[in-house]
Coordinates of all heavy atoms in Angstrom, one line a residue:
I5 N 9.7 4.7 8.5 CA 8.7 4.3 7.6 C 7.8 5.5 7.1 O 7.4 6.3 7.9 CB 7.7 3.3 8.3 CG1 8.5 2.2 9.0 CG2 6.8 2.6 7.2 CD1 9.4 1.3 8.2
L6 N 7.7 5.6 5.8 CA 6.8 6.6 5.3 C 5.6 5.9 4.7 O 5.6 5.1 3.7 CB 7.5 7.4 4.1 CG 6.6 8.4 3.4 CD1 6.3 9.6 4.4 CD2 7.4 9.0 2.2
F7 N 4.4 6.2 5.2 CA 3.1 5.8 4.7 C 2.7 6.8 3.7 O 2.5 8.0 4.0 CB 2.1 5.6 5.7 CG 2.1 4.3 6.5 CD1 3.0 4.2 7.6 CD2 1.3 3.3 6.2 CE1 3.0 3.0 8.4 CE2 1.4 2.1 6.9 CZ 2.2 1.9 8.0
L8 N 2.4 6.4 2.4 CA 1.9 7.2 1.4 C 0.4 6.8 1.1 O 0.2 5.7 0.7 CB 2.7 7.1 0.1 CG 2.1 7.8 -1.2 CD1 2.0 9.3 -1.0 CD2 3.0 7.5 -2.4
P32 N -0.3 -2.7 9.4 CA 1.2 -2.4 9.3 C 1.6 -1.3 10.2 O 2.7 -1.3 10.7 CB 1.4 -2.1 7.8 CG 0.0 -1.8 7.3 CD -1.0 -2.6 8.1
F36 N 4.8 -1.9 12.7 CA 6.0 -1.0 12.7 C 6.1 -0.3 14.0 O 7.2 -0.1 14.6 CB 5.9 -0.1 11.5 CG 5.9 -0.8 10.2 CD1 5.1 -0.2 9.1 CD2 6.6 -1.9 9.9 CE1 5.1 -0.8 7.9 CE2 6.5 -2.6 8.7 CZ 5.8 -2.0 7.7
D98 N 13.4 4.5 5.1 CA 13.9 3.2 4.7 C 12.8 2.5 3.9 O 13.1 1.6 3.0 CB 14.2 2.3 5.9 CG 15.2 2.9 6.8 OD1 16.3 3.1 6.4 OD2 14.9 3.2 8.0
V99 N 11.5 2.8 4.1 CA 10.4 2.1 3.5 C 9.4 3.2 3.1 O 9.1 4.1 3.8 CB 9.7 1.1 4.4 CG1 8.5 0.4 3.8 CG2 10.7 0.0 4.9
I100 N 8.8 3.0 1.9 CA 7.6 3.7 1.4 C 6.5 2.7 1.3 O 6.6 1.8 0.5 CB 7.8 4.4 0.1 CG1 9.0 5.4 0.2 CG2 6.6 5.1 -0.4 CD1 9.5 6.0 -1.1
F101 N 5.5 2.8 2.2 CA 4.5 1.8 2.3 C 3.1 2.5 1.8 O 2.7 3.5 2.3 CB 4.3 1.4 3.7 CG 3.5 0.1 3.9 CD1 4.1 -1.1 4.1 CD2 2.1 0.2 3.8 CE1 3.3 -2.3 4.3 CE2 1.3 -1.0 3.9 CZ 1.9 -2.2 4.2
V102 N 2.5 1.8 0.8 CA 1.3 2.4 0.2 C 0.1 1.5 0.5 O 0.0 0.4 -0.1 CB 1.4 2.6 -1.3 CG1 0.3 3.4 -1.8 CG2 2.8 3.3 -1.6
P103 N -0.7 1.8 1.5 CA -1.9 1.0 1.7 C -2.9 1.2 0.6 O -2.9 2.3 -0.1 CB -2.4 1.5 3.0 CG -1.9 2.9 3.1 CD -0.6 2.9 2.4
G104 N -3.9 0.3 0.4 CA -4.9 0.4 -0.6 C -6.1 1.1 -0.2 O -6.2 1.9 0.8
I122 N 7.5 8.1 -5.1 CA 7.8 6.8 -5.6 C 9.1 6.8 -6.4 O 10.0 5.9 -6.3 CB 6.6 6.2 -6.4 CG1 5.4 6.1 -5.5 CG2 7.0 4.8 -7.0 CD1 5.5 5.1 -4.3
K130 N 15.1 2.7 -1.9 CA 14.2 2.4 -0.7 C 13.4 1.2 -1.0 O 13.2 0.8 -2.1 CB 13.3 3.6 -0.5 CG 13.9 5.0 -0.4 CD 15.0 5.1 0.7 CE 15.5 6.5 0.7 NZ 16.6 6.6 1.8
L131 N 12.9 0.6 0.1 CA 12.0 -0.5 0.0 C 10.6 0.1 -0.3 O 10.1 0.9 0.5 CB 11.9 -1.3 1.3 CG 11.2 -2.7 1.3 CD1 11.9 -3.6 0.3 CD2 11.2 -3.3 2.7
I132 N 10.0 -0.3 -1.5 CA 8.7 0.3 -1.9 C 7.7 -0.9 -1.8 O 7.9 -1.9 -2.4 CB 8.8 0.8 -3.3 CG1 9.8 2.0 -3.4 CG2 7.4 1.3 -3.8 CD1 10.0 2.6 -4.8
V133 N 6.7 -0.6 -1.0 CA 5.7 -1.7 -0.7 C 4.3 -1.1 -1.0 O 4.0 0.0 -0.6 CB 5.8 -2.0 0.8 CG1 4.9 -3.2 1.2 CG2 7.3 -2.3 1.2
A134 N 3.5 -1.9 -1.6 CA 2.1 -1.5 -1.9 C 1.1 -2.7 -1.8 O 1.5 -3.8 -2.3 CB 2.0 -0.9 -3.3
I135 N 0.0 -2.5 -1.3 CA -1.0 -3.5 -1.1 C -2.3 -3.2 -1.7 O -2.8 -2.1 -1.7 CB -1.2 -3.8 0.5 CG1 -2.2 -4.9 0.8 CG2 -1.5 -2.5 1.2 CD1 -1.7 -6.3 0.5
C136 N -2.9 -4.2 -2.4 CA -4.3 -4.1 -2.9 C -4.4 -3.1 -4.0 O -3.9 -3.3 -5.1 CB -5.3 -3.9 -1.7 SG -7.0 -4.3 -2.1
G138 N -3.0 -0.1 -3.6 CA -1.8 0.7 -3.4 C -0.9 0.7 -4.6 O -0.3 1.8 -4.9
P139 N -0.8 -0.4 -5.3 CA 0.1 -0.4 -6.5 C -0.3 0.6 -7.6 O 0.4 0.9 -8.6 CB 0.0 -1.8 -7.1 CG -0.1 -2.6 -5.8 CD -1.1 -1.8 -5.0
A141 N -0.2 3.6 -7.1 CA 0.9 4.6 -7.0 C 2.1 4.3 -7.8 O 2.9 5.2 -8.0 CB 1.3 4.7 -5.5
L142 N 2.2 3.1 -8.4 CA 3.4 2.8 -9.2 C 3.2 3.0 -10.6 O 4.2 3.1 -11.4 CB 3.7 1.3 -9.0 CG 3.8 0.7 -7.6 CD1 4.0 -0.8 -7.6 CD2 4.9 1.4 -6.8
A201 N 1.4 -12.5 -2.2 CA 2.3 -11.4 -2.2 C 3.6 -11.8 -2.9 O 3.9 -13.0 -2.9 CB 2.7 -11.0 -0.8
V202 N 4.2 -10.9 -3.6 CA 5.5 -11.2 -4.3 C 6.5 -10.1 -4.0 O 6.1 -8.9 -3.7 CB 5.3 -11.2 -5.8 CG1 4.4 -12.4 -6.2 CG2 4.7 -9.9 -6.4
Q203 N 7.7 -10.5 -4.0 CA 8.8 -9.5 -3.8 C 9.8 -9.7 -5.0 O 10.2 -10.7 -5.4 CB 9.6 -9.8 -2.5 CG 10.8 -8.9 -2.3 CD 11.4 -9.0 -0.9 OE1 11.0 -9.8 -0.1 NE2 12.4 -8.2 -0.6
R206 N 13.7 -4.8 -4.3 CA 13.2 -3.8 -3.3 C 11.7 -3.4 -3.5 O 11.3 -2.4 -2.9 CB 14.1 -2.5 -3.4 CG 15.6 -2.7 -3.3 CD 15.9 -3.1 -1.9 NE 15.8 -2.0 -0.9 CZ 15.9 -2.1 0.4 NH1 16.1 -3.3 0.9 NH2 15.8 -1.1 1.2
L207 N 11.0 -4.2 -4.3 CA 9.6 -3.9 -4.5 C 8.8 -5.1 -4.0 O 9.0 -6.3 -4.4 CB 9.4 -3.8 -6.0 CG 7.9 -3.5 -6.5 CD1 7.4 -2.2 -5.9 CD2 7.8 -3.5 -8.0
I208 N 7.8 -4.8 -3.1 CA 6.9 -5.8 -2.5 C 5.5 -5.4 -2.8 O 5.1 -4.2 -2.5 CB 7.2 -5.9 -1.0 CG1 8.6 -6.4 -0.7 CG2 6.2 -6.9 -0.4 CD1 9.0 -6.4 0.8
T209 N 4.7 -6.3 -3.3 CA 3.3 -6.0 -3.6 C 2.4 -7.1 -3.1 O 2.8 -8.3 -3.2 CB 3.1 -5.7 -5.1 OG1 3.7 -6.7 -5.9 CG2 3.6 -4.3 -5.5
G210 N 1.2 -6.8 -2.7 CA 0.3 -7.8 -2.2 C -1.1 -7.6 -2.8 O -1.4 -6.5 -3.2
I216 N -2.5 -8.5 3.8 CA -1.7 -7.4 4.5 C -0.6 -8.0 5.4 O 0.5 -7.5 5.4 CB -2.7 -6.6 5.4 CG1 -3.8 -6.1 4.5 CG2 -1.9 -5.4 6.0 CD1 -5.0 -5.5 5.3
R218 N 0.9 -10.8 5.4 CA 2.0 -11.4 4.6 C 3.0 -10.3 4.1 O 4.2 -10.5 4.1 CB 1.5 -12.3 3.4 CG 0.8 -13.6 3.9 CD 1.8 -14.6 4.3 NE 1.1 -15.8 4.8 CZ 0.8 -16.8 4.1 NH1 1.1 -16.8 2.8 NH2 0.3 -17.9 4.6
V219 N 2.4 -9.3 3.5 CA 3.2 -8.2 3.0 C 4.0 -7.5 4.1 O 5.2 -7.3 4.0 CB 2.3 -7.1 2.3 CG1 3.1 -5.9 2.0 CG2 1.7 -7.7 1.0
T220 N 3.4 -7.3 5.2 CA 4.1 -6.6 6.3 C 5.2 -7.5 6.9 O 6.3 -7.0 7.2 CB 3.1 -6.3 7.5 OG1 2.0 -5.5 6.9 CG2 3.8 -5.4 8.5
D221 N 5.0 -8.8 6.9 CA 6.0 -9.8 7.4 C 7.2 -9.8 6.4 O 8.3 -9.8 6.9 CB 5.4 -11.2 7.5 CG 4.6 -11.3 8.7 OD1 4.6 -10.4 9.6 OD2 3.9 -12.4 8.8
L222 N 7.0 -9.6 5.1 CA 8.0 -9.5 4.2 C 8.9 -8.3 4.4 O 10.1 -8.3 4.3 CB 7.5 -9.6 2.7 CG 7.1 -10.9 2.2 CD1 6.5 -10.7 0.8 CD2 8.3 -11.8 2.1
V223 N 8.2 -7.2 4.7 CA 8.9 -6.0 5.0 C 9.8 -6.1 6.3 O 11.0 -5.8 6.3 CB 7.9 -4.8 5.2 CG1 8.7 -3.5 5.7 CG2 7.1 -4.5 4.0
L224 N 9.2 -6.7 7.3 CA 10.0 -6.9 8.5 C 11.2 -7.8 8.3 O 12.3 -7.6 8.9 CB 9.1 -7.5 9.6 CG 8.0 -6.5 10.1 CD1 7.0 -7.2 11.0 CD2 8.6 -5.3 10.8
E226 N 12.8 -8.2 5.5 CA 13.8 -7.4 4.7 C 14.6 -6.4 5.6 O 15.8 -6.3 5.5 CB 13.1 -6.6 3.6 CG 14.0 -5.9 2.6 CD 14.8 -6.9 1.7 OE1 14.3 -8.0 1.5 OE2 15.8 -6.5 1.2
L227 N 13.8 -5.7 6.5 CA 14.5 -4.8 7.4 C 15.4 -5.5 8.4 O 16.4 -4.9 8.9 CB 13.4 -4.0 8.1 CG 12.6 -3.0 7.2 CD1 11.6 -2.3 8.1 CD2 13.5 -2.0 6.5

Side-chain angles (χ1 to χ4, degrees):
I5 314 295
L6 177 66
F7 278 86
L8 170 61
F36 299 143
D98 303 298
V99 178
I100 299 169
F101 194 103
V102 191
I122 298 295
K130 308 298 184 181
L131 191 62
I132 298 176
V133 187
I135 178 76
C136 200
L142 308 177
V202 294
Q203 178 170 1
R206 304 292 289 172
L207 178 64
I208 297 173
T209 48
I216 306 165
R218 290 287 177 90
V219 168
T220 307
D221 286 347
L222 281 174
V223 176
L224 293 172
E226 186 71 22
L227 293 178

